[in-house]
Amino acid sequence: MIDAAEIIRSRTSILFVTLDSLRYDTARTAYDTGLTPHLATLLPDGGWERRQTPGTFTLPAHMAFFSGFLPKLPQPDQPPRLWECRPPAFKTVPPQTFVFDAPNLPAGLAQHGYRSICVGGVTYFSRETPLGSVLPDLFDEDHWSPEFCSPEPDSTRHQVDRAVEIADQYDGKPLYLFVNVSATHVPHGHYLGDSHDSRASQQAALAYADTHLARLITTLTTQHRWLIILCADHGDAYGEDGYHGRGIAHPVVMNVPYAAMIR
Ligand SMILES: [Zn+2]
């Protein structure tokens, strides 16, 4: 079990990656059939856990994540949360959970000497609109450019290049480095040479991102220990039961891949 209190008291940097819209079944099949060989060497034994997201689209899912609510196991019994914002006095927090006296995780980590950095992907991180500034505003600094966004076929390379560059710049300071990977968000049909988005093209997008995500993790962890959390914010429907897209409580949207490890 990951001891978040030990991580934070020892000022261990934290990498939090959301693979936007990545369905659990897509990630699981890619892992099982060897389409993500680089990530497979880095993920815990067995690969992705199936978890359920607290939000059906990017905004509520990330608001929950940044408030301390990560995806939960699809079962009644849950392990203690890694961290949470200080609850009202009547609620008991398990001793394994690290409590921040702050309204969100970046602000809480700042009280412990961390710098929070957002490398955005989809337009909820782009600052192109007032709503697109809500999530980036939670961080000490945020980065976004059109080449980080899903229409760009080499988006993950550009995002990882920027993330590595920033981490290098703050070498020695504890970081909360967040990256929203946009490649798995529509449009991704172009990874199969098609204008049509499908589960198969999302899988091809993940296979594309595999090398770059592994490069991010191995580069960061060459000299220092990091806590790494990878998950999707929500899934995406491609016609199951007639549904398309996200923002709906369908199992293909609610079930997400999740992995947490110390490297
Ligand atoms: Zn999303």
Side-chain angles (χ1 to χ4, degrees):
M1 186 185 291
I2 289 168
D3 181 348
E6 188 276 326
I7 292 291
I8 293 159
R9 292 199 186 100
S10 64
R11 294 160 63 93
T12 299
S13 288
I14 300 166
L15 171 67
F16 179 39
V17 176
T18 55
L19 293 126
D20 208 291
S21 311
L22 179 62
R23 289 167 48 143
Y24 172 75
D25 54 2
T26 304
R28 169 52 56 189
T29 305
Y31 177 89
D32 289 345
T33 58
L35 290 174
T36 48
H38 301 95
L39 276 177
T41 64
L42 300 169
L43 293 176
D45 290 347
W48 300 106
E49 279 182 29
R50 180 167 75 91
R51 294 231 177 178
Q52 288 177 332
T53 182
T56 59
F57 67 104
T58 305
L59 182 68
H62 285 85
M63 282 305 295
F65 297 161
F66 298 146
S67 305
F69 302 94
L70 290 167
K72 289 194 169 187
L73 289 169
Q75 62 188 39
D77 292 330
Q78 299 292 325
R81 288 164 59 189
L82 290 178
W83 38 58
E84 70 175 84
C85 298
R86 182 172 59 79
F90 63 83
K91 190 182 165 216
T92 309
V93 178
Q96 301 92 333
T97 299
F98 191 80
V99 177
F100 293 104
D101 197 8
N104 59 64
L105 196 57
L109 286 167
Q111 294 171 355
H112 295 270
Y114 283 74
R115 183 164 184 83
S116 59
I117 296 157
C118 170
V119 178
V122 307
T123 52
Y124 275 107
F125 299 95
S126 71
R127 290 196 179 277
E128 293 170 296
T129 62
L131 184 55
S133 302
V134 168
L135 295 172
D137 277 346
L138 297 172
F139 289 79
D140 292 323
E141 65 180 270
D142 60 281
H143 300 256
W144 187 87
S145 84
E147 67 194 9
F148 294 177
C149 206
S150 39
E152 158 61 47
D154 214 6
S155 58
T156 315
R157 176 194 300 277
H158 295 301
Q159 293 183 289
V160 167
D161 285 350
R162 180 71 64 90
V164 166
E165 188 185 306
I166 299 162
D168 198 40
Q169 184 186 325
Y170 289 110
D171 186 37
K173 185 172 176 68
L175 300 182
Y176 177 61
L177 176 58
F178 166 72
V179 183
N180 171 248
V181 171
S182 71
T184 45
H185 183 284
V186 292
H188 41 60
H190 52 85
Y191 291 103
L192 291 178
D194 192 353
S195 60
H196 177 68
D197 298 314
S198 63
R199 199 183 143 198
S201 64
Q202 185 179 63
Q203 191 165 274
L206 177 60
Y208 150 74
D210 174 64
T211 319
H212 300 297
L213 291 174
R215 173 167 63 92
L216 174 61
I217 294 168
T218 52
T219 306
L220 293 178
T221 56
T222 302
Q223 294 195 326
H224 303 288
R225 186 180 75 135
W226 284 64
L227 168 61
I228 297 158
I229 300 170
L230 308 172
C231 68
D233 54 346
H234 53 82
D236 227 351
Y238 302 107
E240 291 83 1
D241 302 314
Y243 289 100
H244 289 271
R246 58 220 74 93
I248 44 171
H250 191 281
V252 297
V253 174
M254 302 308 295
N255 287 308
V256 294
Y258 176 93
M261 61 261 192
I262 296 169
R263 292 195 70 90

